[in-house]
Amino acid sequence: MGSSDVVIRRATPLDHDTLASLIAAAYATLDDERYDREALVAAMPLMSRPNPLLLACGTYFVAELDGEPAACGGWTREEPGTGKVKEGVAHIRHFAADPRFARRGAASALLRHCLSQAHAAQIERMMSQSTLPAEPFYAFAGFRRLKIVEAKMGEGVVLPVVLMERAIP
Ligand SMILES: CC(C)(COP(=O)(O)OP(=O)(O)OC[C@H]1O[C@@H](n2cnc3c(N)ncnc32)[C@H](O)[C@@H]1OP(=O)(O)O)[C@@H](O)C(=O)NCCC(=O)NCCS
């Protein structure tokens, strides 16, 4: 099945419960030997729940396959964690794919949608803080690794993530 079968719609706060299940299932797959297990378990409650600000921001989306939510994700001008805004730069936010729909192109269709929207909004550079296992997903979409950074995931919890970027021509 190709990504042309993916239907993309804007998320709203009413999607909270549906996306809570989807994101929790997606992030449960992050069990990766490169992560410190204790830190991953501690980060999970914050990392694996929908962000109400993103659900209401207008640039967070749901990708549906076979009429069901298969993936979610979006972009904002604010930098994750700091809220800082830099002219011409945007950030990919909280991408997740339901494992039942993994590798069917839902998340990459969503990512292309975000890049095209950001382009229309005069964004020239898209950044992403990728989980370690998701790096090939972003690389597939043309992002390149800048460096590993420590992302704060609640009080006293940090996880390594890959800071990535791509130009939006
Ligand atoms: C990363 C994630 C969103 C990808 O969702 P998806 O819908 O399965 O991705 P797609 O089907 O669009 O993948 C497109 C391409 O990206 C690459 N890719 C995606 N997942 C990959 C993986 N686990 N390993 C290697 N390459 C991968 C492949 O090139 C793939 O194309 P292919 O299937 O034809 O080989 C999903 O795996 C996920 O939710 N992971 C857990 C949460 C997470 O880490 N989110 C990212 C936050 S920064």
Side-chain angles (χ1 to χ4, degrees):
M1 178 173 290
S3 57
S4 57
D5 300 298
V6 180
V7 175
I8 296 175
R9 64 171 175 83
R10 184 171 291 156
T12 77
L14 295 176
D15 289 307
H16 182 279
D17 293 354
T18 305
L19 296 189
S21 311
L22 189 159
I23 294 170
Y27 277 75
T29 67
L30 282 185
D31 208 355
D32 186 298
E33 76 262 3
R34 290 171 290 174
Y35 282 127
D36 175 79
R37 253 208 85 73
E38 211 177 305
L40 188 62
V41 168
M44 209 42 91
L46 182 68
M47 195 162 60
S48 69
R49 66 169 179 248
N51 176 337
L53 294 175
L54 288 179
L55 292 183
C57 76
T59 51
Y60 195 76
F61 304 93
V62 181
E64 295 176 339
L65 266 173
D66 309 336
E68 283 194 66
C72 56
W75 66 279
T76 64
R77 291 174 187 270
E78 294 85 27
E79 191 174 59
T82 69
K84 282 186 199 153
V85 174
K86 197 168 158 197
E87 190 64 31
V89 180
H91 301 86
I92 290 299
R93 306 298 300 272
H94 220 185
F95 261 68
D98 185 321
R100 292 175 303 147
F101 295 96
R103 305 298 283 267
R104 285 181 57 187
S108 46
L110 207 45
L111 190 50
R112 283 195 298 278
H113 182 75
C114 291
L115 291 168
S116 138
Q117 265 219 338
H119 178 63
Q122 275 78 52
I123 299 297
E124 291 166 353
R125 195 152 63 103
M126 187 65 90
M127 312 291 296
S128 171
Q129 286 193 351
S130 173
T131 58
L132 301 179
E135 185 176 2
F137 164 72
Y138 289 105
F140 175 77
F143 284 75
R144 69 180 180 106
R145 174 199 275 237
L146 295 177
K147 57 181 176 177
I148 299 278
V149 294
E150 302 262 276
K152 199 167 173 230
M153 302 282 179
E155 234 10 81
V157 185
V158 289
L159 275 190
V161 292
V162 190
L163 183 64
M164 302 181 79
E165 68 160 16
R166 64 154 281 176
I168 308 182

